Amino acid sequence: MESSILPTLIQLRASANSFLSQFEPLAIVVAPIVSFLVARVLQSFIQLIHEKGVKATVIGFVMTLFKLVPGVQKYIDAEKQKVVDKLQSSGKSSRDGWKTELPNTGLGTKVLEQMKDLKQKDPAWQGKCSGTVYIGGNESEGHFSLINEACSMFAHTNPLHLDVFKSVVRFEAEVVAMTGALFGSKEKASGGKICGNMTSGGTESILMAVKSSRDYMRAKKNITCPEMIIPESAHSAYDKACQYFKIKLWRVPVNKEFQADVKAIRKYINKNTIMIVGSAPGFPHGIIDPIEELGELAVSYRICLHVDLCLGGFVLPFARKLGYPIPPFDFTVQGVTSISADVHKYGLAPKGTSIVLYRNHDIRKHQFVAVTEWSGGLYVSPTIAGSRPGNVIAGAWAAMISLGQEGYLEHTREIMEASKRIQQGVKEIPELFIIGRPDMTIVAFGSNVIDIFEVNDILSSKGWHFSPLQRPNSIHICVTLQHVPVVDEFLNDLKDSVQTVKRNPGPISGGLAPIYGAAGKIPDRGMVSELLVDYMDNAC
Ligand SMILES: *Cc1c(COP(=O)(O)O)cnc(C)c1O
């Protein structure tokens, strides 16, 4: 058998060869193109795995195939819309009667009455919200009215015009300098060249710090494909910064204490790493990351370290003076290159005020944008906005100068004590556990026996507003001066809510627990992200 097949095979191969040989010139052209295309497909697949991880890539791939099945995409869209409608109906009133056009005849000063009416219909926030409003007491008196007056005095100013609104320019410089002094600018260890700017909020401060670090690292180390590494607990503003500024972001799980895991972060550092981030404390659980260890890492790899003091900036320096055990968190730690601190949170300034600080002018220079070829003239601007509201800068100055060190110390004492009482109260509820060891005034708690999101729904029905957290499922209260008089009321409502859920587990009508529960578990994070975007697209 074999002997008869072999010659035939040889013959076949010979004729195939002579057949193919006529295409040889073509093959010379086609082969490289085909291999180039195959290489590109492989490369982008590897890139995807590199960016999203194996699990997310596989899930994304399977989902894409799955959606090709007729009817599946339609079904998913319909289910998605149901969830969006649910979020909408519980979060937003109907838009009946909302204006969609300028009125023909203006209302004149009567407009103020209408505004008062509308304001009165807002849900009550006094003492009821986590974070949100940090100033204590009644909205029509005390620190509130002082800030209102300061703002209205400067309502029509714009620090873009440095030569005109000199008072506002001075306020801004002083607010920045006074904040820098809280974070070690006067200490020898800081190098004495701390500088910074005011921004519209924590997010803008973070955007600026990331942008400056990116361009500083490009100038210093010629990094052109920048990457940054942050703990899972770092604020979502870093995602925003990375999306806006084309930086690859690595979110690394936290350690057992819910702090930045320095060893895990080290593993992600490579030649493209521009910066790492530590929070003091992080928004979700109010826990301070090991800033000194992160600083050592930053120094040894010659990369930037941003410390997020958005929440802690106007509490930690005072808590330390009061004797609370606060680990180092500022420019006295070697390796810290920038800091963000929100005056509009615990600084008790009006909303729209935050500060970004740098260790030296070399780094900060990369924040500015200078334009030389515009027919509008030579232009240079420090932050994202061009024209800026001078009123809130004046309000921030008023807050800091009116309170002084003693004012902040007194307020810090009050909220630290309220936070301790809340921690104690939560510990006494056996169904609940506190996440980690809160360093400051944020207390996050979850449960192993009941659905904490159902507890949150009951609390919402009693008028409280807390944000649900994930990994693990929990809720937190960011304690402000508004809460000092209502600690017992809060703890009683919390106890009641836990008992209600324990007796009657399951979703309540209009509750969001099932959605939060499900959203945490859906493996296709792309789908959850689409849900969020659809929600926002419907909401505004
Ligand atoms: C609030 C906060 C931010 C963002 O600040 P916004 O003022 O909301 O833009 C960033 N990081 C932390 C830790 C925060 O608490």
Side-chain angles (χ1 to χ4, degrees), residues 197-448:
N197 293 88
M198 283 189 76
T199 68
S200 62
T203 301
E204 190 184 348
S205 290
I206 288 168
L207 291 179
M208 291 294 83
V210 172
K211 191 262 182 211
S212 308
S213 304
R214 183 196 67 177
D215 294 352
Y216 177 67
M217 282 288 108
R218 186 173 181 133
K220 280 265 155 182
K221 296 174 79 178
N222 196 27
I223 295 177
T224 52
C225 298
E227 298 185 9
M228 67 186 273
I229 309 155
I230 66 173
E232 210 169 37
S233 54
H235 199 271
S236 50
Y238 300 95
D239 291 78
K240 200 180 246 184
C242 289
Q243 290 188 23
Y244 284 7
F245 303 142
K246 284 208 167 68
I247 296 165
K248 159 114 201 69
L249 178 67
W250 299 101
R251 250 184 203 281
V252 179
V254 288
N255 66 19
K256 280 200 216 77
E257 279 78 44
F258 293 88
Q259 293 176 307
D261 185 338
V262 181
K263 271 198 198 121
I265 288 173
R266 179 196 295 270
K267 285 195 192 126
Y268 282 85
I269 297 181
N270 62 35
K271 65 178 189 347
N272 289 326
T273 306
I274 56 163
M275 72 192 295
I276 53 178
V277 169
S279 309
F283 169 84
H285 315 123
I287 294 170
I288 301 176
D289 288 328
I291 304 301
E292 279 183 306
E293 287 174 58
L294 291 168
E296 282 167 24
L297 208 56
V299 168
S300 69
Y301 288 94
R302 296 194 304 122
I303 54 178
C304 295
L305 165 59
H306 180 77
V307 178
D308 191 338
L309 282 166
C310 283
L311 263 184
F314 288 86
V315 176
L316 296 184
F318 306 108
R320 174 182 281 161
K321 276 205 177 140
L322 290 169
Y324 287 96
I326 306 291
F329 58 85
D330 60 16
F331 285 115
T332 55
V333 177
Q334 289 313 304
V336 174
T337 47
S338 57
I339 283 177
S340 51
D342 288 353
V343 226
H344 71 192
K345 288 181 182 158
Y346 289 110
L348 308 188
K351 290 296 175 212
T353 50
S354 171
I355 291 138
V356 59
L357 293 161
Y358 298 96
R359 180 172 287 276
N360 59 50
H361 294 260
D362 246 13
I363 312 172
R364 183 178 69 160
K365 279 182 187 168
H366 294 279
Q367 180 184 289
F368 303 156
V369 171
V371 179
T372 57
E373 307 308 302
W374 179 30
S375 52
L378 298 178
Y379 183 94
V380 60
S381 159
T383 52
I384 291 184
S387 288
R388 285 188 300 150
N391 58 347
V392 287
I393 295 174
W397 191 82
M400 292 177 80
I401 299 291
S402 70
L403 290 168
Q405 300 259 356
E406 283 168 10
Y408 285 115
L409 277 169
E410 174 57 20
H411 288 151
T412 301
R413 194 183 55 71
E414 288 182 58
I415 51 175
M416 288 295 278
E417 276 171 15
S419 160
K420 289 277 172 277
R421 281 171 61 207
I422 287 177
Q423 288 173 51
Q424 194 50 44
V426 174
K427 272 184 205 150
E428 283 164 13
I429 304 175
E431 290 81 6
L432 301 181
F433 64 85
I434 292 181
I435 298 188
R437 257 183 301 154
D439 281 306
M440 209 179 85
T441 49
I442 294 92
V443 187
F445 47 92
S447 174
N448 287 322

Side-chain angles (χ1 to χ4, degrees), residues 108-119:
T109 50
K110 284 215 190 83
V111 70
L112 295 175
E113 283 163 35
Q114 240 188 45
M115 293 171 85
K116 262 185 217 152
D117 264 8
L118 286 172
K119 189 175 181 198

Side-chain angles (χ1 to χ4, degrees), residues 493-539:
D493 279 355
L494 180 60
K495 261 180 241 164
D496 279 356
S497 306
V498 166
Q499 286 316 311
T500 307
V501 172
K502 214 177 159 195
R503 277 196 308 270
N504 262 319
I508 60 166
S509 97
L512 290 177
I515 290 181
Y516 281 115
K521 283 187 214 134
I522 296 175
D524 181 10
R525 305 315 283 167
M527 163 110 89
V528 180
S529 156
E530 279 171 29
L531 263 174
L532 290 173
V533 170
D534 283 359
Y535 166 70
M536 185 93 296
D537 198 32
N538 276 270

Side-chain angles (χ1 to χ4, degrees), residues 68-134:
L68 290 177
V69 177
V72 167
Q73 181 68 53
K74 227 177 172 177
Y75 174 78
I76 290 178
D77 286 346
E79 288 302 302
K80 232 167 43 184
Q81 194 55 45
K82 274 188 213 161
V83 177
V84 169
D85 289 346
K86 181 111 203 260
L87 286 168
Q88 220 81 86
S89 66
S90 60
K92 210 186 66 173
S93 55
S94 105
R95 294 190 172 196
D96 288 345
W98 287 23
K99 290 195 179 43
T100 57
E101 268 184 299
L102 206 52
N104 240 338
T105 311
L107 264 191
T109 50
K110 284 215 190 83
V111 70
L112 295 175
E113 283 163 35
Q114 240 188 45
M115 293 171 85
K116 262 185 217 152
D117 264 8
L118 286 172
K119 189 175 181 198
Q120 260 163 14
K121 290 184 193 134
D122 279 343
W125 49 260
Q126 289 78 359
K128 288 290 193 177
C129 296
S130 171
T132 315
V133 177
Y134 291 72

